Amino acid sequence: MNLRQTIGHIQRVLYNHVRKGGDAHLPADKDSAGFMTPEMVGELEGANGAYQIKYDVEDILKLPIGNWLVSGTKTNNTPMDSGWHYISIKGDVAGGRRQFSVQHSHTGRKWTYGWSENGEAGLNPLKWRKEWQTKELFAGSMKSIGDSFQIEDSFELFEYVEFYYSYLGIMYSQKVARNSIVIKKPFELGGLKLDQSLDSRGVSFGRIILRAHALNSLEVDSIESNYFPGNGGAATSTSGDKIDIYRAIGWF
C-alpha cells in the first residue's frame, strides 16, 4: 500500500468511526473532558450575554439561571401585558434564591424581582419593581410667550415629564403626568416666594402656561406674575418676574 492509499485509508477510518453521529464521546463535566452538547453550547452563549428564545413559557419565575427572550403576558408573570421580554436570571445552584432582571423589548422599560424559597424578602420589595429611566428632552431657556421646544420622540412614550424652572431665584421641579400633556390642552407650572420682611408678609406668585400643539412639541402659551401684599391690599402685576424653564426630562 503506497502513501496515498495509506492516507486515504486512515481518512476513511476516521470519518466512519463508531458512533460518529454526535454521541461518540461523553459530554464534558467538572471532572472529565469531553464534547459539548447543544444544551452546553446554549448555556455558554447565555453566560457570554446571548439570549435564548423560549416559546410557550407558563411561568418565567420557574426558568433556570441564564438569559432568555420570552414572548410574555402577565399570565406567565411578566410585568407587561404583551411583547417580548429580555430576562436575565441570577441565583444559587441549589435554586433557593433568584434575582430577575427584565427589559421589555418594545419600550425598553425595566423591572427587577427577587425571591427565595424560604420566603425571605431581604431588601427586595415583593412583586416587580420598576427601574425608572430618564432621557433629557430640553435644556435652555423658556420664559416668554411663543418660546417652544420639540423632542424627537412623543410625550406619549414617557410616564412623566419633569420640568426644572426658576422663579425669583428659587429653583423648582415639577412632574407632569403623560395624560396631562394633550394636544391643545394647556397645563401650568407655578412658583411662589414669601417676603423676607416679617412686617409685610406678602407673597409673589408666578405661573407659566404650556400647550402642546403636537405630541412632540410644547410652547409657552401665557405667563403671569403677581405680588399679593400681606396687609390685604390689592394684588399688583409684576410681569418682569418670570418663571424660566431651563430643563425637561422624560421618565419611563
Side-chain angles (χ1 to χ4, degrees):
M1 184 179 294
N2 58 33
L3 180 60
R4 181 187 296 270
Q5 291 173 325
T6 301
I7 293 174
H9 174 71
I10 294 173
Q11 184 180 32
R12 287 191 298 274
V13 170
L14 291 175
Y15 183 79
N16 294 298
H17 71 284
V18 177
R19 298 170 66 196
K20 71 179 182 68
D23 58 351
H25 302 276
L26 293 174
D29 57 28
K30 64 180 181 179
D31 297 317
S32 305
F35 280 6
M36 293 184 70
T37 65
E39 290 77 14
M40 289 177 176
V41 173
E43 290 174 359
L44 178 60
E45 290 175 340
N48 288 327
Y51 286 79
Q52 301 180 65
I53 296 177
K54 280 279 190 180
Y55 297 98
D56 302 321
V57 176
E58 293 184 1
D59 187 350
I60 69 168
L61 301 181
K62 295 179 181 179
L63 286 171
I65 293 172
N67 296 318
W68 311 98
L69 181 56
V70 173
S71 179
T73 66
K74 287 187 177 180
T75 57
N76 65 355
N77 277 325
T78 50
M80 292 195 72
D81 288 327
S82 61
W84 289 92
H85 294 70
Y86 290 96
I87 303 169
S88 295
I89 305 174
K90 301 176 183 178
D92 62 289
V93 176
R97 289 175 172 80
R98 288 288 185 269
Q99 184 70 40
F100 294 79
S101 297
V102 176
Q103 183 169 20
H104 190 241
S105 174
H106 181 63
T107 63
R109 291 182 169 90
K110 296 179 179 180
W111 296 264
T112 57
Y113 183 100
W115 63 266
S116 63
E117 63 181 5
N118 59 10
E120 293 177 358
L123 297 178
N124 280 300
L126 299 178
K127 305 293 184 181
W128 291 105
R129 179 180 64 183
K130 187 170 185 176
E131 292 187 353
W132 287 100
Q133 303 173 82
T134 61
K135 179 179 180 179
E136 185 166 84
L137 306 179
F138 168 76
S141 177
M142 288 179 60
K143 59 183 179 181
S144 301
I145 295 175
D147 287 350
S148 65
F149 73 89
Q150 183 171 322
I151 65 174
E152 61 183 359
D153 303 300
S154 167
F155 291 114
E156 290 183 316
L157 300 180
F158 302 97
E159 296 288 335
Y160 303 95
V161 176
E162 185 170 14
F163 294 91
Y164 294 81
Y165 55 97
S166 63
Y167 178 63
L168 295 175
I170 301 176
M171 316 304 284
Y172 297 87
S173 69
Q174 181 175 328
K175 285 182 179 178
V176 177
R178 174 178 56 195
N179 58 9
S180 294
I181 303 178
V182 181
I183 294 177
K184 303 298 183 183
K185 180 181 178 181
F187 65 93
E188 69 176 57
L189 309 173
L192 59 83
K193 182 178 182 180
L194 298 175
D195 277 349
Q196 296 298 319
S197 172
L198 293 178
D199 295 331
S200 61
R201 295 183 181 178
V203 60
S204 296
F205 175 76
R207 66 176 183 167
I208 186 169
I209 297 177
L210 303 173
R211 191 186 301 267
H213 293 284
L215 286 177
N216 68 338
S217 66
L218 283 176
E219 182 176 314
V220 177
D221 199 58
S222 64
I223 54 176
E224 182 181 339
S225 180
N226 293 285
Y227 176 74
F228 299 86
N231 57 13
T236 57
S237 173
T238 54
S239 58
D241 300 329
K242 297 180 179 180
I243 287 180
D244 186 3
I245 300 172
Y246 60 87
R247 188 183 184 209
I249 62 173
W251 289 80
F252 65 99

Short mmCIF file of all heavy atoms in Angstrom, two decimals, residues 25-37 40 43:
data_model
loop_
_atom_site.label_atom_id
_atom_site.label_comp_id
_atom_site.label_asym_id
_atom_site.label_seq_id
_atom_site.Cartn_x
_atom_site.Cartn_y
_atom_site.Cartn_z
N HIS A 25 -18.76 10.65 22.03
CA HIS A 25 -17.99 10.96 23.23
C HIS A 25 -18.93 11.50 24.30
O HIS A 25 -19.94 12.11 24.00
CB HIS A 25 -16.90 12.00 22.92
CG HIS A 25 -15.96 11.57 21.85
ND1 HIS A 25 -14.86 10.78 22.08
CD2 HIS A 25 -15.97 11.81 20.50
CE1 HIS A 25 -14.22 10.56 20.94
NE2 HIS A 25 -14.88 11.17 19.97
N LEU A 26 -18.55 11.27 25.54
CA LEU A 26 -19.35 11.75 26.64
C LEU A 26 -19.26 13.27 26.73
O LEU A 26 -18.25 13.86 26.38
CB LEU A 26 -18.86 11.13 27.96
CG LEU A 26 -19.06 9.62 28.11
CD1 LEU A 26 -18.41 9.14 29.39
CD2 LEU A 26 -20.56 9.29 28.12
N PRO A 27 -20.33 13.92 27.21
CA PRO A 27 -20.25 15.37 27.41
C PRO A 27 -19.29 15.71 28.53
O PRO A 27 -19.07 14.93 29.46
CB PRO A 27 -21.68 15.76 27.77
CG PRO A 27 -22.30 14.52 28.30
CD PRO A 27 -21.66 13.39 27.56
N ALA A 28 -18.70 16.90 28.43
CA ALA A 28 -17.78 17.34 29.47
C ALA A 28 -18.54 17.59 30.77
O ALA A 28 -19.71 17.97 30.76
CB ALA A 28 -17.07 18.61 29.02
N ASP A 29 -17.84 17.35 31.89
CA ASP A 29 -18.39 17.73 33.19
C ASP A 29 -17.25 18.32 34.01
O ASP A 29 -16.15 18.54 33.52
CB ASP A 29 -19.06 16.55 33.89
CG ASP A 29 -18.12 15.37 34.09
OD1 ASP A 29 -16.89 15.60 34.20
OD2 ASP A 29 -18.61 14.23 34.17
N LYS A 30 -17.51 18.59 35.29
CA LYS A 30 -16.50 19.27 36.10
C LYS A 30 -15.29 18.39 36.39
O LYS A 30 -14.25 18.90 36.83
CB LYS A 30 -17.12 19.74 37.41
CG LYS A 30 -17.60 18.62 38.32
CD LYS A 30 -18.20 19.19 39.61
CE LYS A 30 -18.65 18.08 40.54
NZ LYS A 30 -19.21 18.61 41.81
N ASP A 31 -15.41 17.07 36.14
CA ASP A 31 -14.31 16.15 36.44
C ASP A 31 -13.60 15.64 35.19
O ASP A 31 -12.43 15.28 35.26
CB ASP A 31 -14.82 14.94 37.24
CG ASP A 31 -15.39 15.35 38.59
OD1 ASP A 31 -14.75 16.19 39.25
OD2 ASP A 31 -16.45 14.84 38.96
N SER A 32 -14.31 15.60 34.04
CA SER A 32 -13.74 14.97 32.85
C SER A 32 -13.93 15.84 31.63
O SER A 32 -14.96 16.51 31.47
CB SER A 32 -14.41 13.60 32.60
OG SER A 32 -14.31 12.78 33.75
N ALA A 33 -12.92 15.80 30.74
CA ALA A 33 -13.04 16.49 29.46
C ALA A 33 -13.96 15.70 28.56
O ALA A 33 -14.15 14.50 28.70
CB ALA A 33 -11.67 16.65 28.82
N GLY A 34 -14.55 16.36 27.60
CA GLY A 34 -15.45 15.69 26.67
C GLY A 34 -15.98 16.66 25.65
O GLY A 34 -15.50 17.80 25.55
N PHE A 35 -16.97 16.24 24.88
CA PHE A 35 -17.58 17.10 23.88
C PHE A 35 -18.71 17.92 24.50
O PHE A 35 -19.31 17.52 25.49
CB PHE A 35 -18.13 16.27 22.73
CG PHE A 35 -17.08 15.82 21.75
CD1 PHE A 35 -15.72 16.06 21.97
CD2 PHE A 35 -17.44 15.16 20.58
CE1 PHE A 35 -14.77 15.66 21.06
CE2 PHE A 35 -16.48 14.75 19.66
CZ PHE A 35 -15.13 15.00 19.91
N MET A 36 -19.01 19.05 23.88
CA MET A 36 -20.12 19.88 24.34
C MET A 36 -21.42 19.45 23.67
O MET A 36 -21.45 19.20 22.47
CB MET A 36 -19.86 21.36 24.03
CG MET A 36 -18.71 21.96 24.80
SD MET A 36 -18.53 23.74 24.47
CE MET A 36 -20.00 24.37 25.30
N THR A 37 -22.46 19.36 24.46
CA THR A 37 -23.78 19.07 23.92
C THR A 37 -24.40 20.39 23.43
O THR A 37 -23.94 21.48 23.79
CB THR A 37 -24.68 18.47 25.00
OG1 THR A 37 -24.89 19.45 26.02
CG2 THR A 37 -24.04 17.22 25.60
N MET A 40 -25.17 22.55 26.28
CA MET A 40 -23.99 23.22 26.84
C MET A 40 -23.60 24.44 26.01
O MET A 40 -23.20 25.47 26.57
CB MET A 40 -22.81 22.24 26.91
CG MET A 40 -22.95 21.16 27.94
SD MET A 40 -21.55 20.02 27.88
CE MET A 40 -21.93 18.95 29.25
N GLU A 43 -25.89 27.18 27.00
CA GLU A 43 -25.55 27.74 28.30
C GLU A 43 -24.30 28.62 28.21
O GLU A 43 -24.21 29.66 28.87
CB GLU A 43 -25.33 26.60 29.29
CG GLU A 43 -26.62 25.86 29.65
CD GLU A 43 -26.37 24.64 30.53
OE1 GLU A 43 -25.16 24.38 30.83
OE2 GLU A 43 -27.33 23.96 30.92
#
